[in-house]
């Protein structure tokens, strides 16, 4: 694929991805049915883009099957398949086959970088509580949008120069680095939960943390079901607390009333 | 409940919060997920409510920098509701910071599931069904209908959700406050919040231990032993170890970098 085409593809990918996931949070424009026509428009064959969008959307929704394995990321796969079809007149299956290794590489690289971007969480907290919220806001937006540039660069290099260079770069990393970064990523959520739990924990009701844990882990209930059970407990608790408050109020008033009697 | 009439200032704050609540996945981290978006969405309200109270402002930002995760649409409702709670916190002091956190924690899990079903599993499939038919004939109208049905509807819903969260949150808090039951509400909200945090920890917190000790002919997987004692025991241990460190005054930076180093070192000595 020519360097110009690869550049256009990477550009469309970054712009649509950021607009859809970071600026609108719709997760709608990066679906095949939207991104394929957009890619077609930029590559000079709008109609092919639209028609391929329909086919690709059916594949990724599981409506129509296709031989072989399907790339995990519909956005990358669709855009590469459309670019391939328009520039070399190939069919959708070949385009998807080209997209597969590129998509895998993009996933691997973002997996490697995720723990580093996640480590910024501590920096974000510091910045948010520094008193200068404008500074926090623009830094979050700039860093968030720049993260996509890495995937865009991999997409560009993969299309223009092939995936072998990137694969060997990835292969030169020792295996323990990849395993370690993966393990760190999956344990990092514990930090977020530890901060949250330590803020709302109190000894008197701490046991309910474990009730929720057991319902999710052992009983396998979904969060809506657990929330309904929790609401039942909370409502019962609310009314028993209400009774105590009412009782306390009536005791107070009768106490003050009897005090009044003594006085007079 | 009396009908709440919004002042011009409240309207403009809510409008700004509505626009900002679109940044849900910006600078998403594996530590706190959508916390950055929540902070940015709350900023207009916090800046206004705490303009004379720098210490309270920092506390409020710390609250809304905590772990947060739900579907993009209900985030707006929780943002609006948090505005109502923060206002009550500033004006009457009856809702404490802990309660605000508990209510946020209680809402994020169930709303995520509910709105995934409504938007991703239902509306998206219907919209794509219509769009595929039109697009396969080369008609761009299909794509436009898809954007309208699946994308624009999310923003319209968000607009109403921010306002409803604030209006109904305010009138609900007023009712509870005037009936003198705020303490009862605070206690029951924290029970529900803590229970949902426990439920979410069960599905999110994970220690991928893969440590095999070979003794002669046999080998033992340490991770499996822990799981056979109590599923997810290692995750719980890690969580409470981190909570203990936080109580001891550990900074988030130290915890995050510690986890990163622990992951790499663990992999180097083959326990992951």
């Amino acid at each position: 694929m020519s360097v110009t085409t690869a550049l256009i593809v990477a550009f469309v990918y970054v712009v649509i991805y950021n607009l859809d996931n970071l600026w609108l949070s719709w997760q709608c424009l990066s679906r095949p049915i939207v991104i394929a026509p957009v890619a077609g428009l930029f590559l000079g064959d709008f109609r092919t883009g639209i028609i391929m969008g329909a086919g690709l959307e059916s594949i990724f929704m599981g409506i129509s099957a296709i031989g072989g394995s399907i790339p995990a990321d519909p956005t990358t796969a669709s855009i590469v398949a459309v670019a391939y079809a328009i520039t070399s007149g190939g069919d959708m299956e070949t385009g998807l086959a080209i997209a597969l290794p590129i998509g895998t590489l993009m996933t691997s690289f973002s997996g490697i970088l995720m723990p580093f971007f996640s480590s910024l969480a501590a920096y974000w907290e510091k910045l948010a509580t520094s008193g200068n919220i404008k500074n926090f806001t623009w830094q979050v937006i700039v860093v968030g949008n720049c993260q996509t540039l890495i995937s865009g660069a991999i997409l560009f290099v993969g299309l223009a120069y092939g995936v072998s260079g990137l694969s060997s770069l990835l292969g030169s990393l020792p295996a323990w680095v990849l395993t370690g970064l993966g393990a760190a990523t999956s344990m990092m959520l514990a930090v977020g939960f530890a901060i949250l739990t330590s803020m709302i924990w109190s000894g008197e009701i701490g046991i309910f943390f474990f009730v929720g844990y057991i319902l999710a882990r052992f009983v396998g209930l979904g969060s809506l079901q657990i929330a309904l059970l929790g609401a039942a407990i909370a409502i019962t608790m609310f009314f028993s607390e209400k009774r105590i408050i009412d009782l306390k109020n009536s005791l107070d008033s009768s106490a003050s009333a009897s005090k009044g009697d003594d006085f007079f | 409940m009396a009908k709440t009439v919004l002042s011009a200032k409240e309207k403009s704050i809510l409008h700004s919060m509505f626009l900002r609540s679109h940044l849900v996945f910006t600078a998403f981290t594996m530590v706190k997920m959508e916390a950055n978006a929540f902070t940015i969405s709350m900023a207009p309200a916090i800046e206004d409510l705490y303009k004379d109270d720098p210490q309270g402002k920092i506390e409020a930002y710390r609250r809304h920098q905590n772990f947060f995760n739900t579907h993009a649409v209900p985030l707006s409702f929780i943002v609006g509701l948090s505005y109502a709670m923060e206002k009550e916190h500033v004006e009457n002091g009856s809702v404490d910071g802990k309660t605000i956190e508990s209510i946020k924690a209680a809402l994020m899990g169930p709303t995520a599931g509910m709105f995934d079903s409504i938007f991703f599993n239902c509306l998206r499939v219907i919209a794509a069904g219509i769009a595929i038919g039109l697009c396969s004939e080369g008609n761009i109208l299909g794509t436009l209908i898809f954007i309208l049905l699946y994308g624009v509807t999310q923003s319209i819903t968000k607009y109403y959700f921010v306002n409803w969260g604030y209006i109904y949150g305010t009138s609900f808090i007023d009712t509870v406050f005037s009936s003198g039951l705020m303490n009862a509400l605070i206690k029951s909200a924290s029970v529900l919040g803590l229970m949902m945090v426990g439920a979410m920890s069960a599905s999110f917190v994970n220690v991928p231990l893969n440590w095999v000790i070979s003794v002669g002919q046999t080998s033992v997987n340490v991770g499996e032993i822990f799981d056979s004692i109590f599923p997810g025991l290692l995750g719980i241990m890690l969580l409470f170890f981190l909570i203990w460190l936080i109580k001891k005054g550990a900074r988030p930076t130290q915890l995050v970098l510690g986890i990163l180093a622990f992951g790499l070192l663990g992999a180097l000595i083959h326990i992951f």
Side-chain angles (χ1 to χ4, degrees):
Chain A
M1 204 173 278
S2 76
V3 174
T4 325
T5 315
L7 208 57
I8 293 172
V9 168
F11 173 78
V12 171
Y13 174 84
V14 171
V15 169
I16 296 286
Y17 184 93
N18 280 356
L19 179 67
D20 188 34
N21 289 289
L22 305 186
W23 291 97
L24 295 168
S25 69
W26 284 351
Q27 302 189 305
C28 160
L29 307 181
S30 48
R31 295 297 306 172
I33 196 115
V34 182
I35 200 154
V38 174
L41 189 65
F42 274 85
L43 293 166
D45 191 347
F46 195 27
R47 198 181 148 79
T48 304
I50 298 169
I51 294 170
M52 282 186 76
L56 289 160
E57 186 69 43
S58 323
I59 292 170
F60 284 102
M61 277 178 61
I63 295 174
S64 72
I66 184 169
S69 50
I70 294 169
D73 171 24
T75 312
T76 319
S78 307
I79 201 166
V80 172
V82 169
Y84 182 76
I86 290 174
T87 54
S88 18
D91 54 5
M92 198 149 69
E93 280 81 353
T94 325
L96 284 176
I98 292 175
L100 183 62
I102 298 178
T104 315
L105 272 177
M106 284 163 77
T107 314
S108 312
F109 273 96
S110 28
I112 293 172
L113 293 168
M114 197 55 186
F116 299 106
F117 284 120
S118 294
S119 302
L120 288 176
Y123 172 71
W124 297 134
E125 183 178 323
K126 212 171 176 179
L127 206 57
T129 53
S130 69
N132 186 350
I133 202 65
K134 283 212 173 73
N135 200 6
F136 166 81
T137 307
W138 75 256
Q139 287 198 33
V140 163
I141 291 175
V142 169
V143 172
N145 281 275
C146 286
Q147 274 172 254
T148 319
L149 291 178
I150 294 158
S151 304
I154 292 162
L155 182 59
F156 168 72
V157 174
L159 285 176
Y161 307 106
V163 291
S164 55
L166 289 169
S167 299
S168 58
L169 184 69
L170 202 62
S172 65
L173 279 175
W176 65 267
V177 173
L178 298 180
T179 319
L181 290 175
T185 311
S186 69
M187 287 188 291
M188 272 186 181
L189 266 173
V191 178
F193 271 100
I195 298 170
L196 181 61
T197 311
S198 68
M199 294 244 189
I200 64 175
W201 181 273
S202 78
E204 196 185 338
I205 55 159
I207 194 69
F208 285 100
F209 175 91
F210 297 99
V211 173
Y213 183 89
I214 286 167
L215 287 175
R217 189 95 192 198
F218 289 74
V219 188
L221 293 182
S223 54
L224 186 60
Q225 288 94 320
I226 299 173
L228 289 173
L229 287 175
I233 298 171
I235 290 167
T236 312
M237 199 137 175
F238 178 80
F239 284 110
S240 71
E241 287 285 317
K242 178 178 182 286
R243 254 197 306 279
I244 295 169
I245 292 168
D246 288 347
L247 196 65
K248 199 164 145 254
N249 288 343
S250 70
L251 276 177
D252 284 351
S253 60
S254 66
S256 62
S258 59
K259 240 183 240 159
D261 285 347
D262 288 347
F263 187 75
F264 285 107
Chain B
M1 286 180 207
K3 178 108 179 77
T4 319
V5 181
L6 297 176
S7 70
K9 193 175 72 181
E10 284 171 318
K11 269 185 191 156
S12 85
I13 289 173
L14 285 168
H15 190 72
S16 169
M17 290 169 84
F18 156 69
L19 293 177
R20 286 158 175 256
S21 73
H22 281 88
L23 300 168
V24 182
F25 305 109
T26 305
F28 184 92
T29 69
M30 286 307 285
V31 178
K32 294 178 173 181
M33 293 196 165
E34 300 162 1
N36 288 331
F38 207 93
T39 310
I40 291 177
S41 306
M42 284 301 291
I46 294 174
E47 288 296 316
D48 177 58
L49 292 170
Y50 293 92
K51 56 178 174 286
D52 305 320
D53 178 9
Q55 192 52 41
K57 187 193 274 187
I58 286 171
E59 286 305 312
Y61 277 126
R62 196 183 304 286
R63 265 199 290 286
H64 299 296
Q65 235 318 278
N66 258 343
F67 174 89
F68 191 83
N69 186 48
T70 185
H71 185 273
V73 171
L75 179 128
S76 309
F77 181 81
I78 302 175
V79 162
L81 183 63
S82 299
Y83 178 21
M85 292 191 290
E86 287 289 349
K87 192 182 78 167
E88 179 67 24
H89 180 64
V90 171
E91 288 177 356
N92 298 315
S94 62
V95 178
D96 58 355
K98 216 171 175 177
T99 309
I100 299 175
E101 307 231 29
S102 302
I103 290 178
K104 274 172 68 184
L107 287 174
M108 56 179 126
T111 50
M114 226 169 2
F115 283 86
D116 259 347
S117 308
I118 296 171
F119 280 96
F120 192 77
N121 297 333
C122 177
L123 203 55
R124 181 183 65 100
V125 176
I126 295 169
I130 300 167
I132 288 170
L134 286 165
C135 284
S136 58
E137 292 158 11
N139 191 343
I140 188 62
L141 213 60
T143 300
L144 297 178
I145 287 174
F146 182 78
I147 296 174
L148 202 67
L149 279 181
Y150 182 53
V152 178
T153 49
Q154 295 191 35
S155 284
I156 296 171
T157 318
K158 280 168 98 90
Y159 178 79
Y160 285 104
F161 270 16
V162 172
N163 286 289
W164 288 348
Y166 181 68
I167 293 169
Y168 294 119
T170 307
S171 61
F172 179 70
I173 292 168
D174 283 349
T175 312
V176 175
F177 186 66
S178 60
S179 57
L181 294 172
M182 196 49 100
N183 282 330
L185 181 76
I186 284 173
K187 196 150 188 191
S188 42
S190 56
V191 166
L192 182 57
L194 204 53
M195 201 163 139
M196 293 315 295
V197 171
M200 284 187 286
S201 313
S203 40
F204 281 130
V205 177
N206 174 34
V207 179
L209 197 70
N210 189 20
W211 183 11
V212 181
I213 300 175
S214 299
V215 186
Q217 298 287 313
T218 56
S219 60
V220 181
N221 189 324
V222 180
E224 279 170 14
I225 293 175
F226 276 106
D227 266 348
S228 65
I229 301 169
F230 188 95
L233 179 62
L234 282 167
I236 288 271
M237 280 163 61
L238 175 67
L239 186 69
F240 280 91
F241 176 62
L242 291 171
I243 292 172
W244 180 76
L245 287 177
I246 292 167
K247 291 255 152 81
K248 288 269 166 199
R251 316 283 319 143
T253 321
Q254 296 166 331
L255 300 179
V256 170
L257 295 178
I259 291 277
L260 196 58
F262 177 53
L264 286 169
L265 280 176
L268 189 61
I269 58 169
H270 296 294
I271 65 169
F272 288 122

